[in-house]
Structures are given as structure tokens and as C-alpha cells.
Amino acid sequence: MNFKNVTIAGSGVLGSQIAFQSAFFGFNVNVYDINDAAIATAKERMATLKTTYAEYFNDADRAEKAYLSLQFFTDLGEATKDADLVVEAVPERIEIKQGFYENLGKVAPEKTVFASNSSTLLPSQFAEFTGRPEKFLALHFANSIWQNNTGEVMGHPGTDAQYVEQVADFARAIGMIPFVLKKEQPGYILNSLLVPFLTAAMELWVKDIADPQTIDKNWMISTGSPRGPFAIYDIVGMETPYNLNLMRAEHDPNAKLAAEKIKREMIDQGKMGISTGEGFYKYPNPAYMDPNFLKSN
Ligand code: NAD
């Protein structure tokens, strides 16, 4: 393993998970965020993750050790002084990421490899700002990385293949199953499949072809899948599909109708998904998990 010291930049939802996971698997982890308030929030997230990891891996000592090993910084140069790898998980906004890479390229040691966790933006959009395009690529995690343990590894045309391999090795070393893409692809593998699937399901609902439970049931019986698209919407939460449809609304009348329907029938009713105890299903015992769900219609 080429990496030992890892800096996670951006300590929000995903950054905190990547940091904790890396520490839990024995790496020296520095956490960087923009100010003391963000670091204070990060520390709260880490305390919650400590409990999650202790329970999930049934190992409170290891979780405690990982928690205590984390170092926090608001100075990017300090945070990356000895970094072998920086994993960037700053907000999904082009100008924020560009600015971040411009700064990072200046302060990080020459040896440091940079990996972006961006869900929708491509490494080629930022490569020139890093000052080291050959050592820059994407390493994309899924939310709840301790259990949804995929690591999608994706270079841009100028990434040196040896760093793709090193980052895939790192992913493996922190308990991920790495998936190396041969080319750049918006949405990687997972979202290239999932987004059109979820969009198609939403369209069936918006056009009132069938109700969400019927759509899920059909999918589950026909494919043997453990859950259908609306159960997945409940996991994702309503905010992301609402925002995505709102963005597309200008050019796509179905997206406009979808955004309106999600707002009116879900968000305004407080049905945000699992996080609020109700979305398309009620939790903690959603109907689709009832053994009788698939037995009739
Ligand atoms: P978030 O908003 O929860 O966290 C972003 C963090 O970045 C915050 O702590 C914020 O203070 C910090 N930040 C803001 N500006 C910064 C800067 N200039 N330098 C350093 N830190 C800065 O966001 P998130 O959901 O964790 O997403 C972060 C990245 O991870 C995005 O690129 C997103 O696409 C990707 N991602 C998110 C998920 C998810 O489910 N949330 C899943 C996979 C990938």
C-alpha cells in the first residue's frame, strides 16, 4: 500500500464517513474544513459515527481508537503537510471545487495524489486546476460507506494509470469493493443505471399510470429485487429528486410535474423518506418488507 497518511477535505455527510472509515482501517487521517464551526459539526458527526461503527462492526474499542486518532484542521497546508492522498468531499459546486483544487495544488506536497468524491462532476473539469493532472482522479463512495461499500475509481484522460491502481488499492484497504471505470462517465456505473431507472418510475407515477406500491411490487416480483424504485426514493430522501426535477423543469414538462407532485404530496406533508419515518412507505416496517406484499395484487 503506497498510502499511509490521508487527508479528507470537506467533513460533511460523506467526508466524515470517508474519514472515519479510513481511520477505522488504520490510516492516519487528517480532516480539513473551512472554519471552526464546520469542524465543530464534523466532531459531532464523528461522535455519531463512532457509535454506528461500534455497533455495525461489533467492536467498540476499534471505533474509539479510530475516533481518537482523527486530527482536525482549518489550514489546508497544515492538513496536507504529509499527505499521500487527499480525498475531496467539498460541496457539489463547480466554483467551490475549482477554487479548492487551485489552493490544494499550491500547498500539498508533490507526492500527494488527489481524489474527488464528486457524484456528478467529472475529473476532467478540474484536472487543470490541480497543477498535477496525472495524479488526479475520482474516488466515489456511496452514502453509509461502512455497509454500502463501493468505491468507484475513475480517471480523466490525463490520469496516470499507476495512480488509478494505487487509489483502487486504497479503496480495498479501507474495506471498499473498488470498481475501476475504463473511461470517464458522468454518474459512474451506479448512477448511470439508477438515475434513469428512478426517473422512469417517477414518470409512471406523475402520469398516473400506477401508484408507487404497484410499481414497486411489479418490479420486485418480475426481477426478484429486494426493493423497488419508490423504496429507493425513501432511502435517498425527497430533497434530491425534488431539486433534480426542478433543475430539469425548464426543458421537460414531465420533470416540472414531478417536482410539483413531490412537493405537494411528499415534502409539504413532511414525508421526506426514511429520515422522517414516512415517505412512499411508513417506517420502521415498510409494507414492501412484509412477506405478504408480493403474494397478491
Ligand atoms: P455536505 O454539504 O454534507 O459537506 C460539504 C462539506 O464541505 C461541509 O462540511 C462544508 O463546510 C465543506 N466545505 C465547503 N466549502 C469548502 C472548501 N472550500 N474547502 C473545504 N471544505 C469545504 O456535502 P456531502 O453530501 O458530504 O457531499 C460532498 C461531496 O460528496 C459532493 O461532491 C457530493 O457529490 C459527494 N457525494 C455525496 C453523497 C451523499 O449521499 N451526500 C454521496 C456520494 C458522493
Side-chain angles (χ1 to χ4, degrees):
M1 166 49 44
N2 290 55
F3 306 143
K4 202 162 152 280
N5 303 325
V6 183
T7 300
I8 312 301
S11 57
V13 174
L14 254 284
S16 58
Q17 295 180 15
I18 301 164
F20 205 97
Q21 181 86 14
S22 304
F24 194 75
F25 281 81
F27 287 82
N28 301 327
V29 177
N30 286 352
V31 178
Y32 165 75
D33 213 305
I34 40 173
N35 55 36
D36 291 342
I39 293 293
T41 308
K43 288 181 176 166
E44 284 167 22
R45 289 184 197 280
M46 298 305 178
T48 307
L49 286 170
K50 182 174 78 168
T51 310
T52 305
Y53 276 71
E55 280 169 15
Y56 186 79
F57 291 96
N58 196 19
D59 194 339
D61 289 347
R62 190 172 161 198
E64 179 73 18
K65 198 168 158 240
Y67 175 71
L68 293 174
S69 75
L70 296 165
Q71 304 285 326
F72 297 87
F73 298 84
T74 52
D75 180 306
L76 189 57
E78 280 295 307
T80 57
K81 206 169 59 179
D82 300 315
D84 301 308
L85 173 69
V86 171
V87 181
E88 168 269 308
V90 311
E92 192 75 344
R93 298 244 309 271
I94 293 181
E95 69 284 4
I96 294 181
K97 290 203 196 276
Q98 276 180 0
F100 171 77
Y101 282 116
E102 272 177 333
N103 292 336
L104 180 66
K106 285 182 202 139
V107 298
E110 203 185 313
K111 66 168 182 176
T112 314
V113 175
F114 301 166
S116 174
N117 181 46
S118 173
S119 295
T120 61
L121 305 167
L122 294 170
S124 55
Q125 290 176 266
F126 305 107
E128 64 175 296
F129 297 96
T130 65
R132 61 188 77 188
E134 75 291 349
K135 290 198 184 84
F136 175 58
L137 70 170
L139 171 57
H140 180 242
F141 296 91
N143 200 351
S144 304
I145 73 172
W146 57 92
Q147 62 180 19
N148 301 335
N149 60 334
T150 53
E152 296 187 287
V153 183
M154 181 173 83
H156 61 92
T159 309
D160 187 327
Q162 65 174 303
Y163 301 114
V164 172
E165 217 166 285
Q166 288 179 15
V167 168
D169 284 345
F170 166 74
R172 215 172 272 117
I174 61 165
M176 300 292 115
I177 312 281
F179 290 88
V180 176
L181 276 70
K182 295 182 187 174
K183 289 182 192 163
E184 257 194 347
Q185 161 70 20
Y188 306 83
I189 294 173
L190 174 65
N191 283 333
S192 296
L193 296 168
L194 189 60
V195 174
F197 171 68
L198 292 179
T199 306
M202 184 61 72
E203 203 169 308
L204 290 174
W205 181 50
V206 167
K207 288 181 175 169
D208 203 23
I209 307 293
D211 63 75
Q213 297 215 356
T214 304
I215 296 166
D216 277 9
K217 192 181 286 188
N218 185 315
W219 178 258
M220 290 167 74
I221 296 173
S222 309
T223 64
S225 184
R227 57 176 77 85
F230 290 94
I232 298 177
Y233 273 119
D234 279 356
I235 296 171
V236 175
M238 296 307 141
E239 210 154 312
T240 305
Y242 176 68
N243 287 330
L244 285 179
N245 279 295
L246 208 56
M247 268 195 300
R248 291 175 38 229
E250 216 176 296
H251 310 286
D252 179 349
N254 279 330
K256 184 166 184 286
L257 290 174
E260 287 165 2
K261 195 167 166 86
I262 295 169
K263 173 136 190 353
R264 192 175 60 244
E265 295 187 26
M266 308 304 294
I267 296 176
D268 288 351
Q269 315 291 324
K271 298 180 184 175
M272 298 301 287
I274 290 179
S275 63
T276 57
E278 187 172 359
F280 290 103
Y281 296 90
K282 283 195 174 129
Y283 297 85
N285 298 309
Y288 73 85
M289 283 191 172
D290 184 325
N292 290 322
F293 186 68
L294 301 181
K295 292 201 175 134
S296 64
N297 200 30

